[in-house]
Amino acid sequence: MDWSALGTSLQDALGAHLPSILGALGILVIGWLIAVLVRAGIMRLLALLSVDQRIRESTGQGLAVERGIAVGVFWLILLLTLLGMFNALDLGLISNPFQVLVTQIFGYLPRLLAGTVLMLLAWLAATLLRVGVARIFAGTNWDEKLSAQAGMEPMSKNVGNVLFWLVILMFIPAILGAYDLQGLLSPVQSMVNKVLDALPNIFAAFVIGFVGWLVAKVMRGLVANLLAAAGADKAGHSAGLDPSVNLSRVAGTLVFIFIFIPTLIAALDALKIEAVSRPATDMLGQILDAVPH
């Protein structure tokens, strides 16, 4: 074998393509460095803004949004770098698919930005509404009274969370439309329409139940105090009742039941959800019929 001829041929071939190879390597190295620096900068910026922490405080879910955005930008820059490298090497068969992919990604970027902006607006509006509800409750003593009576977490937290997710739900069809996710848009839009149709019934049921509970509570206190002032408790104890049993309190509880159960039945009927209201209404009706016995 003529090694000198082989070396000459290889030198001629490399000499012709060496600038392209060096240029491609330079593009790859520089692009990779830029991608790394941009990823680090984005993670640093988002960490200063406490994006993950704010999302966790708002939704109660831990999402690695900061890292996801940084990694996405990193691979986008790296994709552009690979496209430039293959073009420098004049490898059209490889660069053409990358060119199509890059064109599709940048063509979708406006939709991605629009959907992201809508998501931020939805989160901002929902957060402001929840903070506003919390401040309204904080300015009154309703929160403590309702929480003490219901035996649950502060009502401001529950109402705020419901309103927060309701606002997010209202924005979801617009966000999906901005992302052009038509496969998800139709069922979500149908669900949102059903929720909006049910909101008046839910509000009416809540008002009926709350007013009934309030009236029942007032009447219970009124009857109990009147009977206690009339000496019913002393008469009951004189008749041999246990000292822990107060006739005024028993009568007040019965009055509460007679008022609140029909109100609760009316509230369930106002929901107009037969699968939920009918069994509950029948059960409460049986309880109400059994009270006299």
Side-chain angles (χ1 to χ4, degrees):
M1 174 179 287
D2 190 356
W3 292 102
S4 60
L6 179 61
T8 302
S9 177
L10 183 61
Q11 184 179 1
D12 293 339
L14 288 176
H17 296 89
L18 188 58
S20 301
I21 295 173
L22 293 177
L25 289 175
I27 292 173
L28 179 61
V29 172
I30 294 174
W32 179 79
L33 288 175
I34 293 174
V36 171
L37 292 175
V38 170
R39 180 179 63 181
I42 290 177
M43 291 189 67
R44 178 64 177 171
L45 177 61
L46 295 179
L48 290 175
L49 296 176
S50 303
V51 174
D52 285 351
Q53 180 181 350
R54 293 178 186 276
I55 293 176
R56 184 167 55 252
E57 292 174 353
S58 300
T59 64
Q61 302 292 328
L63 300 175
V65 175
E66 298 174 2
R67 181 175 178 81
I69 295 175
V71 170
V73 175
F74 171 83
W75 283 107
L76 180 60
I77 296 175
L78 204 59
L79 183 62
L80 294 174
T81 301
L82 291 175
L83 178 61
M85 184 186 71
F86 291 137
N87 286 331
L89 293 173
D90 198 19
L91 297 176
L93 292 176
I94 301 178
S95 64
N96 287 339
F98 279 91
Q99 181 67 51
V100 173
L101 179 61
V102 169
T103 301
Q104 291 177 347
I105 291 175
F106 278 91
Y108 189 74
L109 274 181
R111 290 188 173 276
L112 183 62
L113 293 175
T116 303
V117 170
L118 283 176
M119 288 180 62
L120 291 176
L121 289 176
W123 173 79
L124 181 61
T127 302
L128 290 176
L129 182 60
R130 182 166 61 182
V131 171
V133 169
R135 289 184 177 179
I136 290 175
F137 275 92
T140 65
N141 57 357
W142 299 346
D143 208 0
E144 292 78 7
K145 288 185 178 180
L146 292 175
S147 299
Q149 292 294 330
M152 59 178 62
E153 292 182 346
M155 292 297 295
S156 60
K157 181 178 180 180
N158 295 322
V159 174
N161 286 334
V162 169
L163 293 176
F164 178 89
W165 289 111
L166 185 61
V167 172
I168 296 295
L169 182 64
M170 298 300 102
F171 272 88
I172 284 180
I175 293 172
L176 292 177
Y179 285 139
D180 196 24
L181 299 175
Q182 299 299 327
L184 294 175
L185 180 59
S186 298
V188 170
Q189 184 67 60
S190 177
M191 179 187 68
V192 171
N193 290 337
K194 290 181 180 179
V195 171
L196 291 177
D197 292 339
L199 276 181
N201 298 334
I202 295 173
F203 180 75
F206 174 78
V207 171
I208 293 172
F210 179 76
V211 171
W213 170 80
L214 188 61
V215 172
K217 182 183 176 183
V218 171
M219 292 302 299
R220 179 180 63 185
L222 180 63
V223 170
N225 290 328
L226 287 176
L227 291 178
D233 293 337
K234 294 181 180 179
H237 296 157
S238 300
L241 289 177
D242 189 272
S244 61
V245 178
N246 295 323
L247 287 178
S248 60
R249 186 177 300 173
V250 172
T253 301
L254 289 176
V255 170
F256 181 88
I257 292 174
F258 274 115
I259 295 176
F260 185 64
I261 289 183
T263 303
L264 192 57
I265 292 175
L268 290 173
D269 288 335
L271 286 175
K272 296 181 180 179
I273 303 176
E274 291 295 326
V276 175
S277 63
R278 184 51 52 197
T281 300
D282 294 340
M283 179 189 68
L284 293 173
Q286 293 175 1
I287 294 174
L288 192 61
D289 293 339
V291 169
H293 299 291

